[in-house]
Amino acid sequence: MSPNNNNQGMQKRMLVMTLVVFAFFLAYEFLVLKPQQEAKAKEQAQQTQQAQQVTSNQAPSIANEMNQAPQMVQGDVNTNSVNVAPALGLAPKNVAATVTTNKSKYEIDNLGRIAQVTLLETKYVNEDQKQIQLFDLNQLRPLEVRFSDANINEEAFKTNVVASQASVDATQNKQELVLTQTLSSVVVTKTLTFYPDGHYDVNVKTSTPQTFFLTTGFRPNVLVDMYADHGALLKLNDGTLTTFLDGDMEKTESLTGVKFASAFDRYYTSVLYNFDKSMSVSVMKDGNKDPQMFIHGNGDLTVSGYAGPKEHILLHKLNPELVDVIEYGFFTFLAKPMFVFLQFLQTYIGNWGWTIVALTIIIKLILFPLSYKGMVSMQKLKELAPKIKDLQTKYKDDKQRQSAAMMELYKKHGANPMGGCLPLILQIPVFFAIYRVLLNSIELKGAEWIFWIHDLAEMDPYFVLPILMGASMFLQQKLTPNTLQDEMQKKIFQFLPVVFTFFFLWFPAGLTLYWFINNVFTIGQQYYINSVFEKQKAIKK
C-alpha cells in the first residue's frame, strides 16, 4: 500500500472515530442520561414525601443481607461482617444540632450523623437561586456508625443521641460538639471539633471495646453527569489512587494503609482522612452497584473530615496530599501542574475568564513549533496533490512503482505524508489535560467573565460562545489545506463544526471559551503560514 493511501486510510479512521465518539455522547445524553435524571427526580420526590412522614423515634430496619456487608480486614477484628442499615429520611424534628462555619452549615441528626451540609458562600447557588445542599434526603449519611454486633447495631438505630448543645457557632474559632448515645451495654461518645474553614475532627469512642465502622456517607449529589467521574476515591500509603465509580461495584473490597477516603461528584466531596495513622477501609456496593465506604474502628477511632467543594487552595491548606481528591482522569500527571499554573496566573490577572484566555495563548505559543511543522506539512501535501493524483493514474496497475514514485516525490519536495498527523497527536494529551482541568475546576463556579457570562462553570445562557466556537472552527477548516481525496470524507469533515457546536451548547462556558480562543489563534497561525507559502510561490514564478 502506498504512503498516500496509508495516510488517507488513517485520516478516514480518525474521522470515523470522531463521529462515532460524538454520536455516542449525544445518544447517551438524550436516550440514557435524560430518562435516568427524570426517573431519579420522580424517585426523590417520592422519598421526600415519605421522609416527611417519619417521626423522631422511628429508626430504619436492619437488613440481614450479610453478603452485602463490608468484610473485615484480616487481623483487625474477629467478626466477618457488619449489618447494613438503610439511611433515615430527614425531617426537621430529627435535627439534634446545627453547626455553622464560615463556609457551610452542618445539620446533625438524632443518630449523630451529618444529615445535610448547606454551602453558605454566595456563589454556591443552584438554578433556583437557593444555597446548594450536598446530600439527598434518603441516602447513606456521613459519620454514621455501624457495629459488627447485630444486637448493638439494631439498638443504635433506635436510640437518639444527646448533643452537648443544639447550636454551635464555629465562624470565628474552632468549637466542640459532643454527641452521647447510651445503649444497654455500651455508651458511644462522638466528639466533633469544627473549624471556621468548614473541616472537622471526629473521635468515636465506646465505653467497652466494640468493633464499629464509620462512613463517609454516599457521595454529594449536586452535579452528576456523563462528562465527569463520580463515586469513591481512596489514596494509599504508597501514593496510589484507587477509584470505584458509580454503577461499577461488583463485590466488597477491603483496603489497608488508606490515607483518605473521598465520596465525590464532579465538584464536591465528603472525605475522611488521617495522614498520621493510616486507615482500614471497606468499600461495598449498594443496590445500584454504587460504592459506599466504611472505616474500621475498634473502641477508639480518630479521623478528620470535610464536606464541601473541591477547592484546590482549601484542600492544600488542610494537607497538600488532599488535593488528590481532585481527580482529572488519565491525564492527571499533566492536568495537575496545568491547574497550578492556571491558578498562578489568576492571582495576577484576577479574572478567571481572562486567565483562561491567557493560558490558552501561552500554550499555543509553547506548542507553536509543533503546530508550525504540521501546518507546513499540510501545505506541502496540498501543493503536491495534483502530482500525486497523476502518479496514481499513471501507475494505477502497478502499486509497487506507484509507491516508489510517490516516495521519490515526497523526498524531492521535503514532504512527509504523516507530517500533518504526528504534531496533532503529540498535542492531544495537552488538549485533554486542559479539558479535564476546566471541566473539574470548582473555582470557576460563580466566576464572571464579561457581559452575559456570570458563571464560567455553567453553560453559556445565550449560546454565544458555542456559536462563536463553531464559526471559528468552520473558518479554520476553510483556511486549513485539505488533503482528503474522497468527496464523502470531505463532506463529513465539513459537517464537524455543526456537530461540535451542538455538543458544546451544554458545556461549561469556561471550557467553551478555551476552545474558541484556541481556534482563533490557530486561525492566526494558519493564516500566517498560508501567507508565507503564497509569497514563496510568487517568488518562484
Side-chain angles (χ1 to χ4, degrees), residues 264-301:
F264 69 97
D265 72 358
R266 180 164 159 187
Y267 287 145
Y268 307 93
T269 181
S270 172
V271 59
L272 294 176
Y273 58 94
N274 192 328
F275 295 102
D276 298 323
K277 184 179 179 180
S278 59
M279 306 176 294
S280 296
V281 181
S282 288
V283 187
M284 57 177 285
K285 64 179 180 179
D286 64 10
N288 297 318
K289 293 187 177 182
D290 297 337
Q292 300 186 5
M293 295 180 288
F294 296 85
I295 299 170
H296 299 215
N298 196 351
D300 194 335
L301 174 67

Side-chain angles (χ1 to χ4, degrees), residues 380 384 387 407-416 540:
K380 289 181 178 179
L384 294 176
K387 295 181 180 180
M407 288 297 292
E408 182 64 28
L409 181 67
Y410 290 142
K411 185 177 180 180
K412 179 180 178 181
H413 293 274
N416 182 354
K540 289 179 182 179

